[in-house]
Structure formats: C-alpha cells, structure tokens
Amino acid sequence: MDAEAGVGGADQLPWRQHYRNLLLLAYQSFGVVYGDLSTSPLYVYKSTFSGRLRRYQDEQTVFGVLSLIFWTFTLIPLLKYVTIVLSADDNGEGGPFALYSLLCRHAKLSFLPNQQSADEELSTYYRNGFTSRHGSLPWLRRFMEKHKNARTVLLLIVLCGTSMMIGDGILTPAISVLSSMSGLKVRATGLHDRSVVLLSCIVLVGLFALQHRGTQKVAFMFAPIVVIWLFCIGGIGLYNIIHWNPRIYQALSPYYIVKFFRTTGKDGWIALGGILLSMTGCEAMFADLGHFTSASVRLAFITIIYPCLILQYMGQAAFLSKNILDMPTGFYDSIPGPIFWPVFVVATLAAVVGSQAVISATFSIVKQCHSLGCFPRVKVVHTSRWIYGQIYIPEINWILMVLCVAVTVAFRDITLIGNAYGVACMTVMFVSTFLMALIMIFVWQKNIIFALSFFLLFGSVEVVYLSSSLMKVTQGGWVPLVLALIFMSVMYIWHYGTRKKYQYDLQNKVSMRYILSLGPSLDVVRVPGIGLIYTELVTGVPNIFTHFTTNLPAFHEVLVFLCVKSVPVPYVSPDERYLVGRIGPRAYRMYRCIVRYGYKDVQRDDDNFENMLVMNIGKFIMMEAEDASSSASYDTANEGRMAVITTSDDYDSPLAVRDSNDLADSMTTRSTKSESLRSLQSSYEQESPNVSRRRRVRFELPEEDDMDQQVKDELLALVEAKHTGVTYVMGHVYIKARKNSSFFKRFAIDVGYSFLRKNCRGPSVTLHIPHISLIEVGMAYQV
C-alpha cells in the first residue's frame, strides 16, 4: 500500500511542478503583459463622453456605453486574442513581425536575400506537423510567391502595423501617466493643468531614465502593483454597483447597444473612438508574450484581468448613471473617500507599469525589424544574465522619451491623446487580424471559409472602430499617422537599400573558375595568420576580395569568408548556428563559415568568437576527412558542401585547448608580430576591458599516429595561423543610384539610405570587431 502511494506521489510530482510553474508565470505576467490593459479604466469614460456625446449624458446612454464596452472587451481581447491569436505565437514570440516571419517560413514571401535550403532544416523553422509543401489554397500561395508586388504590399502592411506599434510606445506612457496624475485635481482643486502636465513629464522622464536597468526585475517588482491595482478597481467597482445602481447588470444585454445607436446616431458612432480605449494593450499582451507561455497568459486573463476590469467598468457606469456631472473625473470621483489617496498612489504606479509593458514591447519589435533587415543598426544591450532576450536600445529609448514628453506638453488633454492612441491601436489590431487570416491558410492549413469567417467577424468590428477613430484625425488622430509615415519610410528605405546592396554583391561576385585559375597562392603573397572576410553572400567569393588583392597583392595563409546572417526564426540553437564549408581545393586553405542568428538572438561581445570559429573549422576538416555523408546536415553548393557543426560536443574536436594566461605563452603567441604592433595591441587591450577579460587559449594538435598526413598538415596550418593572429576585412561601401534611375530610387538611395547609413552604428561596432585588427576596404556601388 505504501509502495503504491509512493509511486502515485512520484507521478504527481511533475504535474505539481507544472502547475506551480504555470501559476508563477501567470503571476509574473501581470507585471509585464497586462500593465497597459489594466489601466484603461482611468480614461475610457472620460474620452467617450468628451465629444458630441455630452448632449446625451443620461442613464440610458451610460447603459449603452457599458454594453458596448462589455461586448467589445469580450469579443476582441477575450475571444480574438486570448482564445485564437495567442495560439499563433512564433516559438513563443508575438507581434506583427513574429506573424510575418511565421508566414515567410511556410510560404516564400520574404525579401531576405541570403536564405538557404539549409535554413529550413533548423529545428524551429516549421511548426510541429506543418511543412511548406502542403496547405490549403495552393493558387493563393503561388500568386503571392510569384508576384513581387503582392509580397511588397504584404511587407508594407506589416511595416504599417509595426510603425503603429512603435507609436503605441510613445502614446501609452503619455495617456497613462497624464490620466493618473489628473486625479490630483479631484482633491487639490486649486491645481492647474500646467502643474499636472509638469508632474507627468517628471514621471515620464524618470521612467525612461530607468530603462537601462533592464526589465528582468519588472516582473517581480511590478506584478504585485498590478495585482493590487486590479483587486482595488474590482472591489471599488463591486462597491459602486451595490451602492449606486444594482440594476447596472441589465446593461450587459446587447439590446442597449441597439438602443444607444438609435438615440445617438452618428454621434454614437464617433464616440466609438473612446470606447475602443477599453481594449488598448491587447497588442502589447501579444508582443510581450516572449517569456511567458500562452497557458499562463490565458490563465491570468480569465481568472483576474477579465472579471476585475468588467466589475470596474460596471461600477464606474453605475456611479456615473447617478452622477452625470462627474463625468470628466468619473474614475477618481467613484473612489470612496477614505481610500482615495492609497488608490491614487497605486493608480500612478500602475500607469508606470502599463507604460513599461509597451516600452519593452517596442524594444523587442525594433530588434525584430533590425534582424530582418528593416531597421538601421542600433545598439542592443542584453540586460539580463538569466532571462534571455531582455534587451534595452538606448537610441530608441531616448527618441521615445522626447516624443512622449512632446506629445504630453503639446496636447495637455487626455481626450486628444486618446484620439491618437485609438488610431494607432486599431490599425495594429486590424493588421494582426489580416495576418492571422493568412496564418490560418498557410500555417494552420485551415479551410478558407474558416479564415474568412475570422477575418470578417473581427475585421468588420475593428474597421468600424477604426473608421470612428479616423474621424478625429484633426483632433489629435494625425499624430500616429505622421509617426507611422516617418517610421515606415525609415524601415522601407533601409530595407530597400540593403536589398539593392546585396543584389549588387551577388551580381558582381568572383567566379570560382577565376579563383581556381590563380592556383593555391591565389597569385598573391600568402602571409601568416587568418584573414576573416565579412560578406553577406552565402555562396561565391565577394568582389571585395579581388578589390583588396588588386591594390595590395598579399593575403593571409588561411582565408575564411564569414557571413553573419539573420534567419526568420526567433532563436537559433548554438548547435545549429554554424555552417562551415570549403572553397576550392584543400591546398587553397579557403573556408566559408555562415553564422546564423534568429531575430530575438542577441550577439554578445563576451563570447570568444575567434576560438569558436577555429574549433568549428577544425571539426569540419575532420568531418570531411572521415565521412562527410554521415555528418549532421549538408548543403550542396558550387564550391563544396556546407556542414552544420555542433558546438556543444567538444569530445570530437581534433584540437586540444588549454589556457594561455602565462607570460611565456603570451610571448610565444605574439612572437611573429613586430614590437610596435605588440605595443599597440597591449595599449588597446588595457583601454578595452571587454577584450582584456576574454579568456586566452592556445590550441594544440594531439599526437595521433592514425591521422591522415594531409589532414594533420591542414590542422597544423590552421593552429599556427590562429596563433599568429586574426585580421578582419570588411567592406566600407558607398552606394549611389545610377543616373538613369527613377526619382524615387535616387531619393531613396542617395538621400534616405545614405543619411541612415551615416547616422547609424557601423557594422564593425555591431559585430564587436576589435578596431586594432580591422581593415576596411573602400568600395563604391552604383545600383
């Protein structure tokens, strides 16, 4: 009996652990995911009744507004997002670009130029059970894959949604903090609007100034605030229902929606721009999904978020139905007197949390855009040692802060900011609905009737709300349109210029016939060391190589053509990151290495990349010598095969590694360098702490009698070249449009792309290349 109980307890332990982790993640999601959505009651009723609806301030109109809020909140956040959209995550990642990358992997819709068939073998490339060779509506797939204009329109739609999402990162902090601080005027009646705006700006500046500390602590620090806030507003709502108008539950009937529009007509339709603010924050909920499971987010929404917010909206409506004149400050007036100040403090903190959620989502989205070639190079700081993917982007942070403060100071009115906020949110939601319909067809392989039903049901509701928001373009709604136009222009011009640059490289690459005709010496002097030539090409030899050797006929003994590229998946496992192949015969000592990163991967400068590269090339040499056909995965190309090299297993490495920290090893390693170069390198390492902290290693070739002599010689040449030193060669490219190009192309390349390239971070800085080892080769392209 005891034995059976013990076995049963052991079986239940994993389930207990699973539910414990689920509850922990659900708790943490309050601090990161739901901050924005939970602060909407601060300004929904005020924004709704601020326009022409002032003429209809009576109990029946309040009932109609509550009915609209209830059914809108049930239909969009609960049914659309929690029930359906959260199931479309890209290996745990959400947002418009995550949906787009999922589509690009299951249909050839991407404009990323350097994709390979080997990328499709990544473990995270396809969803379980799905492949790109099957699916419904093959004619639609063929049409979109064949027509470039259709793919361009899809990309522009995604960029529009992404730009509006970045606009949310500006408008959410402004409206959340300003609405929470406006509660001071309820008790401090002599407080002027200018003082409220000033206090709001101080809070906003402080919020953005603290972003560099990262968001890994936000979940635990802010989750209690949001939970306390939700229980506060839920309890206050229940109190107001009982105290002011118990009949308010009748407003949940759709009958009051019909009655509302019969009474208000066009004025009621325009007022939808305020009602839609009740569901703002849904996109942040989806975009911030990365570090939580869908189950935990659903659990938090269904058990806490939904009932507490519905109770608050009902309670506030009950209060307003009996206190119509308190409409401008209805939320704070509905708070019972003894608990006003505690609730005010919690409301201010909750507004900061809501702002934090959208700011974090903005950083994540910009990183996705950058990785997929749609945003200029920016500094990405990995802020957490434990939570992978938590990032901070200084340039974006300060741009958001300046624009957010500018919007707050310029408008000084929650209603005007709410008009702008509504346009941005509804555009993002409609774009997500459109992308979700395509996901259902291409990825989930559902029937077109199912996809169309989803699109028509939710899309029609969102179009109605969006049309109402667009009626207020002159009343603040122009702000997200202008911001979206600016960000879309930046992203599309950068994407267009990057694509044209790659096409030029591809058309002007050096033929292998020419390389083979030069012989093993490549018709230049081969000097000791490793030359790493950075290129975006995944096949062929880039033009930069011949341009360099023409002007300086000497190159390193070992040549590695290195391509660091992004693939449309969130993460790439370290064991699948490196592809290594050979260019030309063995005697040429020329290799190609492709390093693959996902759009959520962060390239860190603390990894000793050079040592990892040498180890992987050594593994490739041994793998090729033993039996290439039995290795993990290969991609046949003109110059040879590409092999996926695993990095986790070092036992099969032909090279032994030992620390090289003592002086003797250091002198031996640098003995081939001149005294002046050694002095320069020593000074550089003292001034660069990141470089000096790196682990110094020395490679050794084990004594094995059964090793083939050619393989042994090649490995020995690789080790000696590494000990001599590694030089990085990178092209410094100037791009100009041809004289006969169209005006748009000349403006995009000569003005837009040129400006962005000069004012963004250089590729050598982004790739963490040591300046002392870098050679830049000037190139001029006419595209």
Side-chain angles (χ1 to χ4, degrees):
M1 188 72 176
D2 293 339
E4 292 179 359
V7 172
D11 291 338
Q12 292 175 3
L13 186 61
W15 287 102
R16 290 178 180 175
Q17 184 66 32
H18 169 74
Y19 286 120
R20 189 180 297 117
N21 292 337
L22 180 64
L23 292 173
L24 180 62
L25 287 173
Y27 169 75
Q28 291 177 331
S29 69
F30 289 109
V32 176
V33 175
Y34 289 117
D36 184 19
L37 191 64
S38 64
T39 55
S40 297
L42 289 171
Y43 42 78
V44 170
Y45 283 103
K46 174 179 170 58
S47 298
T48 302
F49 283 94
S50 61
R52 296 181 183 178
L53 217 59
R54 290 174 184 169
R55 308 176 201 167
Y56 309 94
Q57 291 187 0
D58 53 48
E59 184 178 81
Q60 293 302 310
T61 305
V62 172
F63 273 44
V65 169
L66 173 61
S67 186
L68 278 167
I69 291 173
F70 172 77
W71 287 105
T72 299
F73 197 77
T74 301
L75 190 64
I76 303 299
L78 180 61
L79 292 183
K80 177 189 168 184
Y81 279 94
V82 174
T83 306
I84 301 175
V85 175
L86 288 183
S87 301
D89 63 291
D90 185 10
N91 293 287
E93 299 301 323
F97 250 96
L99 295 178
Y100 179 65
S101 68
L102 197 59
L103 279 173
C104 291
R105 299 204 303 273
H106 292 78
K108 297 178 181 179
L109 306 177
S110 175
F111 282 101
L112 284 175
N114 54 0
Q115 300 304 292
Q116 303 168 274
S117 58
D119 297 338
E120 299 181 16
E121 299 176 12
L122 292 169
S123 58
T124 56
Y125 198 86
Y126 291 118
R127 290 174 66 93
N128 293 333
F130 298 97
T131 68
S132 62
R133 293 178 291 275
H134 302 92
S136 59
L137 295 183
W139 61 268
L140 180 60
R141 181 194 303 274
R142 288 195 298 268
F143 175 82
M144 297 193 68
E145 291 177 349
K146 181 180 179 181
H147 291 84
K148 181 181 176 182
N149 290 338
R151 290 182 286 130
T152 302
V153 169
L154 177 63
L155 176 63
L156 289 174
I157 291 173
V158 173
L159 293 182
C160 177
T162 305
S163 300
M164 288 293 186
M165 192 84 187
I166 297 174
D168 280 353
I170 298 167
L171 298 170
T172 299
I175 192 172
S176 298
V177 174
L178 185 59
S179 59
S180 65
M181 298 303 293
S182 65
L184 288 171
K185 293 193 294 183
V186 174
R187 292 302 174 94
T189 54
L191 196 65
H192 296 290
D193 289 341
R194 288 177 296 178
S195 301
V196 174
V197 171
L198 178 61
L199 290 173
S200 300
C201 291
I202 292 173
V203 173
L204 288 171
V205 171
L207 172 65
F208 283 100
L210 292 175
Q211 290 300 311
H212 70 281
R213 296 185 177 273
T215 57
Q216 76 275 10
K217 299 178 182 178
V218 170
F220 268 108
M221 289 175 56
F222 287 172
I225 296 172
V226 177
V227 172
I228 292 171
W229 164 252
L230 287 167
F231 283 122
C232 279
I233 62 176
I236 293 170
L238 185 60
Y239 166 81
N240 286 328
I241 292 172
I242 298 171
H243 184 265
W244 291 105
N245 195 346
R247 295 188 306 106
I248 197 68
Y249 73 90
Q250 296 175 2
L252 302 184
S253 170
Y255 165 76
Y256 284 93
I257 297 178
V258 177
K259 192 173 181 179
F260 171 81
F261 283 114
R262 274 184 193 162
T263 305
T264 60
K266 182 180 178 182
D267 295 337
W269 168 59
I270 294 176
L272 292 176
I275 294 172
L276 68 85
L277 296 177
S278 63
M279 53 183 173
T280 54
C282 295
E283 276 301 327
M285 174 177 69
F286 184 45
D288 278 328
L289 185 62
H291 306 295
F292 307 97
T293 61
S294 299
S296 63
V297 173
R298 288 189 175 108
L299 178 65
F301 186 91
I302 294 171
T303 57
I304 305 294
I305 298 292
Y306 185 79
C308 286
L309 288 179
I310 292 299
L311 280 175
Q312 167 54 214
Y313 287 123
M314 291 178 66
Q316 204 173 152
F319 173 82
L320 292 174
S321 66
K322 302 300 181 182
N323 301 272
I324 294 295
L325 296 179
D326 292 331
M327 194 69 70
T329 53
F331 174 80
Y332 285 105
D333 284 327
S334 68
I335 300 174
I339 62 171
F340 175 85
W341 287 111
V343 173
F344 171 77
V345 172
V346 176
T348 304
L349 294 174
V352 173
V353 176
S355 305
Q356 176 65 53
V358 179
I359 295 170
S360 302
T362 304
F363 291 156
S364 177
I365 287 171
V366 170
K367 173 65 172 64
Q368 292 178 19
C369 295
H370 164 63
S371 298
L372 296 176
C374 292
F375 205 88
R377 292 180 293 269
V378 290
K379 182 179 182 180
V380 178
V381 181
H382 197 273
T383 58
S384 175
R385 190 177 302 174
W386 300 277
I387 303 177
Y388 194 76
Q390 291 283 4
I391 59 173
Y392 163 69
I393 304 178
E395 297 95 331
I396 300 300
N397 183 65
W398 302 125
I399 290 173
L400 292 179
M401 186 194 76
V402 171
L403 293 176
C404 185
V405 171
V407 167
T408 305
V409 173
F411 286 148
R412 304 185 181 187
D413 185 5
I414 297 171
T415 302
L416 295 178
I417 302 176
N419 294 340
Y421 193 25
V423 173
C425 289
M426 291 315 304
T427 304
V428 176
M429 290 182 186
F430 184 74
V431 168
S432 295
T433 301
F434 173 74
L435 294 176
M436 273 301 304
L438 295 180
I439 290 286
M440 291 176 180
I441 295 172
F442 293 139
V443 182
W444 292 356
Q445 302 171 358
K446 299 293 184 182
N447 190 283
I448 188 173
I449 297 177
F450 182 84
L452 279 177
S453 300
F454 172 85
F455 181 73
L456 292 176
L457 174 62
F458 296 107
S460 58
V461 174
E462 290 162 353
V463 164
V464 171
Y465 277 106
L466 181 59
S467 63
S468 172
S469 299
L470 292 176
M471 291 296 293
K472 301 178 182 179
V473 168
T474 57
Q475 303 171 27
W478 58 270
V479 173
L481 299 178
V482 172
L483 291 174
L485 180 63
I486 294 173
F487 283 114
M488 272 188 70
S489 300
V490 168
M491 289 190 285
Y492 188 76
I493 287 174
W494 182 262
H495 177 76
Y496 181 76
T498 303
R499 196 151 41 93
K500 288 296 180 183
K501 176 178 175 292
Y502 180 85
Q503 290 172 357
Y504 184 92
D505 282 332
L506 192 64
Q507 293 167 3
N508 293 274
K509 66 181 180 180
V510 183
S511 67
M512 280 306 301
R513 183 177 300 177
Y514 172 75
I515 294 294
L516 294 175
S517 68
L518 298 178
S521 67
L522 300 178
D523 205 22
V524 295
V525 178
R526 302 295 289 266
V527 297
I530 296 178
L532 281 183
I533 303 176
Y534 275 87
T535 175
E536 294 181 4
L537 297 177
V538 293
T539 58
V541 176
N543 192 32
I544 182 180
F545 175 70
T546 55
H547 186 75
F548 182 90
T549 54
T550 301
N551 293 276
L552 182 63
F555 224 96
H556 299 81
E557 185 180 3
V558 175
L559 287 179
V560 181
F561 293 92
L562 182 65
C563 174
V564 179
K565 73 170 190 174
S566 294
V567 288
V569 297
Y571 303 101
V572 176
S573 167
D575 284 342
E576 299 177 311
R577 178 154 292 157
Y578 291 88
L579 277 171
V580 181
R582 185 187 297 281
I583 299 179
R586 187 188 299 270
Y588 281 56
R589 301 290 191 265
M590 295 171 64
Y591 308 94
R592 181 184 308 283
C593 181
I594 298 173
V595 187
R596 302 178 290 187
Y597 288 95
Y599 59 76
K600 289 285 286 186
D601 282 323
V602 177
Q603 302 177 32
R604 306 191 196 184
D605 59 351
D606 56 352
D607 297 331
N608 203 328
F609 176 74
E610 296 175 5
N611 297 332
M612 186 70 69
L613 186 65
V614 171
M615 289 287 290
N616 288 331
I617 294 176
K619 289 181 181 181
F620 169 77
I621 293 171
M622 287 297 296
M623 187 184 299
E624 184 187 50
E626 291 173 357
D627 185 9
S629 61
S630 65
S631 62
S633 179
Y634 287 87
D635 179 29
T636 304
N638 293 333
E639 67 268 18
R641 292 171 295 190
M642 299 292 292
V644 178
I645 307 296
T646 59
T647 58
S648 59
D649 298 329
D650 292 334
Y651 67 90
D652 58 345
S653 174
L655 303 177
V657 182
R658 68 180 179 90
D659 288 330
S660 176
N661 293 322
D662 57 287
L663 183 62
D665 284 341
S666 179
M667 294 298 293
T668 304
T669 301
R670 301 181 186 177
S671 60
T672 57
K673 297 181 179 179
S674 65
E675 186 68 30
S676 58
L677 187 57
R678 277 183 282 169
S679 176
L680 282 172
Q681 184 163 353
S682 177
S683 301
Y684 173 76
E685 290 177 355
Q686 291 176 2
E687 296 174 0
S688 305
N690 290 338
V691 176
S692 61
R693 284 197 301 264
R694 287 180 177 176
R695 179 191 175 200
R696 299 181 184 279
V697 300
R698 185 170 181 82
F699 293 98
E700 293 179 347
L701 194 62
E703 295 294 335
E704 295 185 11
D705 297 334
D706 58 343
M707 183 181 293
D708 182 79
Q709 187 60 40
Q710 284 188 332
V711 174
K712 191 172 184 178
D713 292 342
E714 188 173 7
L715 290 172
L716 188 61
L718 177 66
V719 170
E720 291 177 351
K722 171 62 177 71
H723 293 162
T724 300
V726 178
T727 301
Y728 298 81
V729 181
M730 178 173 287
H732 191 86
V733 179
Y734 294 89
I735 301 179
K736 296 284 289 183
R738 291 192 179 98
K739 293 182 179 179
N740 59 349
S741 301
S742 64
F743 171 78
F744 169 78
K745 184 176 180 179
R746 282 187 282 113
F747 177 82
I749 298 296
D750 297 345
V751 179
Y753 185 76
S754 177
F755 174 81
L756 293 174
R757 186 184 59 81
K758 290 177 181 177
N759 290 278
C760 71
R761 291 169 67 85
S764 60
V765 179
T766 305
L767 296 168
H768 310 293
I769 298 175
H771 294 295
I772 197 170
S773 304
L774 175 64
I775 298 176
E776 290 191 292
V777 181
M779 303 282 287
Y781 290 0
Q782 281 200 337
V783 297

